[in-house]
Amino acid sequence: MKLPCGHPCVGFCGDPCPPLCRTCDREELTEILFGSEDEDDARFVLLEDCGHTIEAEGLKEWLAQDGGEIGMKQCPRCKKPIYNNRRYYGFLLKAYKDVEAVKKKYFREKKTVRKQDLLLLLQDTTVHLEFVVKLQTLELHVSEKFRHLSDSELNLLQFQAQVIHKANSVLKKAPECTSKLTEKVHFVVNRVFEQKLRISTQMMEEVTCELQRLAVLPAFWSLTKRIFQYNNQILSQIHKKLLMILGPTVKFDTEKEKETINLLKESEKYLGGLGITNDERMQILKAMELKQGHWYKCPNNHIYCITECGGAMIESTCPECGAAIGGESHRLRDDNAVASEMDGAQYAAWSEENNMLNYDMDNFE
């Protein structure tokens, strides 16, 4: 058969003619893929799914390969799946049957969604009003159409209900940040509810990761506000790590969630749990008019202060728990510590480190 250019077809009789000519398109046609493309008697096959022209013998060997992976055969150039090719139909049919066998096994083993379980998940009035309406809509859908819903639709309904409960939990645990979180949380929920018939595994994973990220954002925002009140390098390093982990382009999986929680707990060692608001803390500092380093904490993290020079001269007991506090000869007890969370001090007002720092500053001046 002749091509429009007048030269002979490089394909097989009965097959779709490859569009490339051995004379007019020689450079493109004979580009080496398997090694025999530039032979004068080489024959070629057109892959109709992607439009590539592939040397026949090399393609046959390519399709005959069995690397242990289950999936449709692919074009050796662009890796697009091959569905239509009469010459190598046998290879394609075998691959298709293997894929179908895996699908059947998966669906047999897959846990089915039961109507009672789904209705129980939907019947919850403790969520926010907007979420209640969504749950009621889903409940009505399940009650009336359950028997007619496909597996993919049931899985979607179940995931939508789970997302509502998780989103509601995120907002409930951070009421003071609701205004900040509401827009972000509702965006995620609405994105899930835009799906009508099915939801992809990738999207389910993305939504789950995003809700996990939103759940820890309030604690991170709180740390961000408080960190600037302290001059602490360790806190700054923790904050930088959290900024990287919580970035919107980072996949916030379970491992990232654990790492974030551990870092937030680590930050509390330097911020401390004072049990008072920041305004109350500032009022106390203003009233006491003490320089940095006069505030300490007992072994149980109860805060106290030492006036005068700030150095521990006597031992006493914590009024909160009775633990020993203070020290002797300007030496703080080993089980007590500087309360950096109170005024941001890294060292006691009377300490070798602080004295050395003051000495350096005097010489510098």
Side-chain angles (χ1 to χ4, degrees), residues 1-3 7-12 16-18 20 22 43:
M1 183 175 177
K2 298 287 187 180
L3 295 173
H7 297 113
C9 173
V10 295
F12 296 93
C17 284
L20 300 180
R22 198 188 306 273
R43 311 305 294 176

Side-chain angles (χ1 to χ4, degrees), residues 15 70 85 158 196 213 297 324 351 359 363:
D15 286 3
I70 304 296
N85 189 275
Q158 185 181 54
K196 300 304 179 184
R213 190 179 77 90
K297 52 189 174 183
S351 64
Y359 174 78
N363 285 343

